[in-house]
Amino acid sequence: MRRVATRNLVAHKVRLTLTLLSVVLGTAFVAGSFVLTDSLQGTFDGLFAGEAKGVDVRVQPADRQSLGLPDDVIGKIAATDGVRAVAPRVAGPIVLLRDGKAIQTAGTSVTGTSYLPPSRAVGAPDRFLTGTPPVRAGQIAVDRTGAERAGLRVGDRTTVLVPSAGSVGVTVSGIYDLPSGGAGGITVLFQDAQARHLFTDGKHVAYADVAARPGVTADRLRTELAGAFPQYTVHSGDQVRREMEKDVADRLKFVDYFLLAFGAVAVLVGAFIIYNTFSMLIAQRLRELALLRAVGADRGQVGRSVLAEAVIIGLIGSALGLLCGVGLAFGVFAMLKAADFGLPSASMSVRPRTVVVTLLLGVAVTVVSACSPARRAVRVAPVEAMRGGLGPVRESLRSRTIAGVVLAVAGVALIGTGACHIGATAALIVGIGTAAVIFAVLFAAPALSGPIVRGLAVLLRPFGTVGRMSRNNALRHPRRTAATAFALMLGLLLVSSIGILDASAKAGITDLVDKGVKADYMLAGPPTVGLPPAVAAVAQRVSGVGAVASLRTVGVRAGSEQLTGTVPEGPLHDVLDYMVDRGTDRLGGDGVMASETEASQHHWKLGDTIELTSADKRVYPVVVRGIYKDTRLLGPLVAPKAFYDKVVPVSLRTDYLVLLTARPGTDTAALRHGLESAMRPYPIVQVQDRDEFKGSQGAQIDSMVGILYGLLALSVVIAVLGIANTLALSVVERRREIGVLRAVGMRRAQVRRTIYLESALIAVFGALIGVGLGSGIGVAFLRTLRDFGLVQIAVPWGQLAATLPVAGVVGVLAALWPAIRASRTPPLAAIAGE
């Protein structure tokens, strides 16, 4: 029986290839996600092996939101027995300029930090390739990667933009080598005193690395410092490296889960294609299997032979999927490198876990998909199966339709319940309801296919008899039609849901800007850097500018809750439209405004004195002078500039947005030109009108959603291959029927047209269900995200409507090869069964 199974596979190479493809595509995505994340993890592990090298102990604040370690603590650490050297960490984000243009790093950081000479450094000193370290203010040293990217050499004059301090003219004194390669970022060294002036408040540093004296172990020193400074976190160098590795691993887990989720979709879609394929194979091989039964094979042997074929296909397909997954990961990594995302060089890492999981998954999915067809194969009596008129095994749809209805009712109830609430729990309820609805469609789709396909068949009337034959072919096997359409349905369900999220997020931004922003122009910069405070003052001096207001943020605690408040400077009412429900927006130096939701949660009332805790643990009493209608423009809290100046050190003050209006009668084109000219010293500043601002925010959404669409395209590709696979096998099954039609006068073009129309009908059937379900589920998920500001629901009707004809075209494309093959069927040979 093993030889029979093997020879059967070899004898049907086209059928074998089509079945393998579904396994390969499903497992490749899973394998690729493992390889990609393992490779990145291995690379970062290698980088971190060189981090904190020579550091015996690191002392840092227990709260990462704090301002850092006070300078007097640094002195006390240095005076502790067993300490040889203390290296304070002084650093901050910067923008490196070259010829007035910012050096692009595609999302990786450009950091300025202080240079410590070998006598003060902890660990191996920086190795300079050319030049010397910075020894006075105005000098910098750039790492080799940054120097190559910026085209800088020793002696070059350039500019560094520090968000809180503005532009600083510097000279490159040296180029040095980073042991870790910088992990894609750029690190610029400043003279220590200048770095402290630029990046600290003059009283704190981020943390302190400590080296032990000879004869003092790291554990002993860590215990000594932990006892002396219990209010701070004290870790050994090994603990620091492990924490950094864990932090990266946690961040990569998101990527891993994200890719595996889409891999699961691909495997699920592939599973139904495999199931459909084996169902058709068994139907076509009933005579062959009956003959085996007649010559002595028992039911178990026949069933095992079918499962043996599934195991072979699963093993081969999974192995090929593993190879394709490695290639997929390599291609993704190469694209990220080409796009200059600043990733370090990495070698592909294929761990044993990846190999085992990929092979087991592929084989398991294939075998499980073949179980039901195998059971049907052994139920048919040998004599009955060898009759010439026996068609495919038909089973009642009643039980599975009832199960589908029950699941549909439960799923819709869960989705409706979740949509009435907000938060992670509500989203989880909607997710469970979605899974129930998907399985409901899986069970009930054969029963649904009849009425829906008959309704869609109205579109085929212009094709006359050929159109009716296409409809009948789709209706003849509802299980096959439903299983073929389900793969495309699942892919388009996800595409439609994401399309609604995309459209709603953009509509929310448009509505927010149109209704809430009065400003004619916005000045924005990179989110990770911010804008220098001087930008607003420079804009105010441009001819034709009316009101100017800058926005900045401040992090505080109200009780146990961490809040990010908005701090405006300038006439806020002239540039933003917001409604003060109670009280006033004139805050003075000690007042705040709270949103309705925030005031309700904390039971704040007008005139209440509340306490806000800053990052340095100081408590500031403020008075609630106003309560405003919730708006994303202002967030939960509005504080005055006087409060901001108390809480935030000068070196850390930046704006995130500057809004301005034009004076009445001002030519807006001339005003824009004046603003762009005034912002030339600040190349990171973008001058945007309202439409451009909405477009830039929408572009960020598009970049994120584009990744989702790209990943979902895989499931659609698998679905298209599944349609082609099903039709190709259907052509084999109907070979005699096609031969008879050809013999009675049907032309080759009519045969091809019949297959095209049948495929298009099945594809549109799947698209109709997928788009309908996806739209409802997308709206339900949006309802659970109201606390994120996604309160506006927008349905991209044009995109959804275009999906149906596009699905029809996809169906025709999937049918090209099966239709050509059907049209070439020799009539007499087909009738004779050759």
Side-chain angles (χ1 to χ4, degrees), residues 260-624:
L260 286 175
F262 283 95
V265 172
V267 170
L268 184 61
V269 172
F272 286 107
I273 293 173
I274 297 169
Y275 170 82
N276 206 23
T277 300
F278 271 95
S279 296
M280 296 184 68
L281 293 181
I282 297 304
Q284 294 171 18
R285 293 172 52 203
L286 282 177
R287 279 193 177 189
E288 171 192 328
L289 297 176
L291 181 61
L292 291 173
R293 293 283 308 283
V295 298
D298 59 28
R299 288 188 174 188
Q301 287 178 309
V302 171
R304 286 193 294 272
S305 72
V306 175
L307 294 180
E309 292 182 29
V311 171
I312 295 171
I313 290 173
L315 282 173
I316 297 174
S318 301
L320 293 175
L322 177 64
L323 295 177
C324 291
V326 174
L328 176 67
F330 183 83
V332 170
F333 207 93
M335 286 190 295
L336 293 175
K337 291 284 286 182
D340 196 20
F341 272 85
L343 293 175
S345 298
S347 57
M348 291 294 103
S349 174
V350 183
R351 298 184 181 179
R353 177 256 286 150
T354 303
V355 177
V356 172
V357 170
T358 303
L359 293 178
L360 286 179
L361 181 65
V363 172
V365 167
T366 308
V367 171
V368 170
S369 299
C371 282
S372 180
R375 286 197 302 271
R376 288 205 299 272
V378 300
R379 290 177 187 169
V380 182
V383 175
E384 183 181 359
M386 285 187 287
R387 291 176 183 173
L390 184 68
V393 178
R394 299 179 186 273
E395 297 179 7
S396 172
L397 301 177
R398 181 178 179 182
S399 298
R400 62 182 295 163
T401 302
I402 293 174
V405 171
V406 172
L407 282 172
V409 171
V412 170
L414 286 171
I415 291 172
T417 301
C420 294
H421 300 82
I422 59 175
T425 302
L428 178 61
I429 293 173
V430 171
I432 296 173
T434 299
V437 168
I438 289 174
F439 279 101
V441 172
L442 172 64
F443 289 129
L448 287 174
S449 65
I452 294 178
V453 169
R454 287 189 182 91
L456 292 174
V458 174
L459 302 174
L460 304 185
R461 284 182 179 176
F463 296 95
T465 303
V466 170
R468 288 194 298 273
M469 291 181 63
S470 300
R471 181 202 63 181
N472 293 338
N473 287 336
L475 292 172
R476 187 183 306 172
H477 303 295
R479 284 175 177 271
R480 180 195 306 164
T481 298
T484 305
F486 183 81
L488 187 61
M489 181 275 290
L490 185 58
L492 292 182
L493 180 149
L494 297 174
V495 169
S496 301
S497 299
I498 293 172
I500 289 179
L501 292 173
D502 180 23
S504 298
K506 290 179 181 177
I509 291 173
T510 299
D511 184 70
L512 189 69
V513 174
D514 289 342
K515 294 182 179 179
V517 177
K518 299 178 182 178
D520 296 304
Y521 286 104
M522 278 72 77
L523 308 180
T528 57
V529 177
L531 297 173
V535 166
V538 172
Q540 183 70 75
R541 295 194 293 268
V542 175
S543 176
V545 170
V548 176
S550 57
L551 302 180
R552 57 201 65 168
T553 60
V554 60
V556 294
R557 284 189 181 274
S560 60
E561 183 183 6
Q562 182 71 36
L563 296 178
T564 300
T566 300
V567 179
E569 183 177 6
L572 187 63
H573 238 311
D574 291 344
V575 296
L576 292 182
D577 190 4
Y578 58 94
M579 181 179 296
V580 179
D581 186 56
R582 284 161 283 171
T584 179
D585 58 358
R586 296 182 179 179
L587 306 180
D590 63 346
V592 294
M593 278 199 306
S595 69
E596 282 186 325
T597 298
E598 202 65 33
S600 175
Q601 287 178 351
H602 293 279
H603 307 290
W604 293 339
K605 298 178 181 178
L606 285 179
D608 285 355
T609 298
I610 63 175
E611 293 183 342
L612 300 179
T613 305
S614 65
D616 59 354
K617 305 302 182 183
R618 295 185 181 182
V619 178
Y620 295 87
V622 293
V623 179
V624 179

Side-chain angles (χ1 to χ4, degrees), residues 10 28 49 59 94 108 113 123 163 322 344 370 401 439 511 547 616 626 643 653 661 717 733 798:
V10 175
V59 182
I94 63 172
T108 56
T113 187
L322 177 64
T401 302
F439 279 101
D511 184 70
D616 59 354
F643 177 80
R653 297 175 188 172
T661 61
V717 169
E733 179 183 310

Side-chain angles (χ1 to χ4, degrees), residues 50-140:
E51 288 291 333
K53 201 168 185 178
V55 175
D56 292 314
V57 177
R58 176 171 291 177
V59 182
Q60 57 192 9
D63 186 356
R64 292 189 178 184
Q65 300 295 328
S66 71
L67 295 177
L69 295 179
D71 284 342
D72 61 338
V73 171
I74 303 298
K76 293 176 182 178
I77 293 173
T80 304
D81 288 340
V83 173
R84 178 183 64 81
V86 180
R89 172 66 170 176
V90 177
I94 63 172
V95 178
L96 183 62
L97 306 179
R98 178 64 170 167
D99 298 328
K101 296 181 179 179
I103 302 303
Q104 302 297 321
T105 57
T108 56
S109 62
V110 181
T111 304
T113 187
S114 61
Y115 169 75
L116 296 177
S119 60
R120 295 178 56 199
V122 171
D126 297 314
R127 185 170 66 91
F128 277 79
L129 305 175
T130 58
T132 60
V135 294
R136 61 177 181 272
Q139 288 186 334
I140 62 169

